[in-house]
Amino acid sequence: MTTRFRRAVQDQEFLITAEITPPKGGNPSHMLEMALWLKNRVHAVNITDGSRAVVRMSSLAASVILSQHDIEPVYQVACRDRNVIGLQADLMGAHALGLRNVLALTGDPVKAGDHPDARPVFELESVRLLKLIDKLNNGTDFNGKSLPDGALDLFAGAAVDVQLKSWSGLQRRFERKIEAGAQFFQSQLVTDFDRLHKFMDQVASISDKPILAGIFLLKSAKNAMFLNKNVPGVYIPDSIVQRLAEAPDPLQEGIQIAAEQIQIARQLCQGVHIMAIKREDLVPKILDAAGIAPIHD
């Protein structure tokens, strides 16, 4: 089955995805309300899997709910909470329920979340998870035994942090994910677009797989400073913090900054992944400001 997102990748369109957090409880109505703002504005919507090790509805269930409302999901799968039996079971179930786009992640450490005494699993990490998905797509399980009830057809992607301090580490990890079968990459938050340019020229150029630059909606100077202090690997430049601090309407300024970053990214890579946490309803305004038209089949 060729989904709209996979077709857009194959057609080399400028790709747009956005992120939604599943509910913390059993009622998906708010998640759906936010997701509906994204309909026909993005190619697919990422459903996070226990992001920051905080307990929420499973990404599998939330992804199915979105697909039932004609919103194409990217089903995120983290290795933190499941062994190879659980991972394979969920991936088979996702395929049976019509999900096709998967983002393979290692997962945030348990200590970072709201259940710090929970027992982590991490039997696999993202590269080995990609290899597992490739095996399932080719009709075998983790141990190489054939799947009597049919191979899967999952379109697997991976994360990349183009601002990782270790350039050799970034390059090595990217190459390993390509070799493991990643078909697309969504980056962590990008603020250093010179670094993104260098990454595209010197690392991503080994492959034709699309890179989606991570664009984050900053709501205020306080929000930017919080990210700098509390989220590893994130650096919001002082110039952006000051711009937000001096703006009469910081949220509107944040929308404009995100739009400007999308316009820069459009010249460098094949797409953007927009993170507007708790304000997904503003993604259409960001895209309008960036000159990105609605998406039609």
Side-chain angles (χ1 to χ4, degrees):
M1 181 174 74
T2 302
T3 64
R4 179 166 68 172
F5 179 65
R6 191 187 299 204
R7 190 166 62 247
V9 171
Q10 293 170 346
D11 294 343
Q12 298 184 324
E13 294 179 32
F14 185 73
L15 304 166
I16 306 163
T17 58
E19 196 161 283
I20 289 280
T21 302
K24 196 171 177 64
N27 185 349
S29 59
H30 180 70
M31 175 190 72
L32 265 176
E33 180 186 345
M34 291 293 103
L36 287 168
W37 284 98
L38 305 174
K39 203 168 184 178
N40 299 321
R41 296 311 307 257
V42 303
H43 292 97
V45 176
N46 278 51
I47 305 297
T48 59
D49 182 18
S51 178
R52 296 184 296 111
V54 172
V55 171
R56 290 184 178 275
M57 180 184 289
S58 79
S59 56
L60 174 52
S63 293
V64 170
I65 291 169
L66 259 60
S67 66
Q68 289 171 343
H69 290 80
D70 197 29
I71 300 167
E72 183 171 336
V74 175
Y75 160 50
Q76 290 191 5
V77 182
C79 299
R80 178 190 55 242
D81 307 321
R82 306 168 186 84
N83 64 14
V84 293
I85 298 172
L87 286 167
Q88 289 175 101
D90 281 355
L91 290 164
M92 291 176 191
H95 180 272
L97 290 166
L99 305 183
R100 292 296 181 267
N101 310 313
V102 178
L103 192 75
L105 302 169
T106 299
D108 297 317
V110 166
K111 296 294 183 185
D114 58 357
H115 286 63
D117 296 325
R119 182 177 297 177
V121 180
F122 289 118
E123 185 172 356
L124 303 183
E125 43 68 54
S126 57
V127 173
R128 295 179 69 201
L129 177 56
L130 286 165
K131 290 179 179 178
L132 171 60
I133 293 169
D134 188 59
K135 283 186 174 184
L136 295 171
N137 283 344
N138 283 289
T140 63
D141 68 12
F142 180 76
N143 291 324
K145 295 181 179 179
S146 65
L147 301 176
D149 296 309
L152 308 191
D153 179 25
L154 299 174
F155 191 59
V160 61
D161 184 358
V162 302
Q163 295 181 190
L164 192 70
K165 288 183 179 179
S166 169
W167 185 256
S168 61
L170 169 61
Q171 187 166 9
R172 184 169 59 252
R173 192 106 177 124
F174 181 80
E175 290 171 352
R176 288 180 64 206
K177 289 181 178 181
I178 289 289
E179 292 167 2
Q183 299 298 310
F184 65 94
F185 288 84
Q186 293 174 323
S187 93
Q188 309 288 7
L189 183 157
V190 176
T191 55
D192 185 345
F193 288 90
D194 289 337
R195 175 81 169 198
L196 175 61
H197 193 181
K198 181 181 178 184
F199 171 79
M200 294 303 301
D201 281 349
Q202 298 184 19
V203 179
S205 57
I206 67 166
S207 136
D208 61 353
K209 306 306 180 188
I211 310 296
L212 285 73
I215 306 296
F216 196 95
L217 173 61
L218 297 167
K219 305 176 187 73
S220 65
K222 183 179 178 181
N223 178 214
M225 290 186 287
F226 175 87
L227 292 172
N228 276 343
K229 182 178 180 181
N230 295 288
V231 182
V234 169
Y235 172 66
I236 312 297
D238 291 342
S239 58
I240 290 181
V241 176
Q242 184 176 358
R243 184 173 162 183
L244 289 163
E246 294 175 352
D249 185 343
L251 182 57
Q252 184 57 44
E253 194 68 22
I255 291 171
Q256 185 58 37
I257 290 168
E260 292 167 7
Q261 291 175 337
I262 290 172
Q263 290 170 331
I264 297 169
R266 200 171 189 178
Q267 306 305 313
L268 300 175
C269 61
Q270 298 96 330
V272 290
H273 176 58
I274 304 171
M275 294 164 276
I277 297 172
K278 296 183 179 179
R279 290 308 310 264
E280 293 85 0
D281 56 306
L282 295 178
V283 169
K285 290 186 177 180
I286 295 169
L287 292 169
D288 287 342
I292 305 291
I295 294 167
H296 300 291
D297 288 325

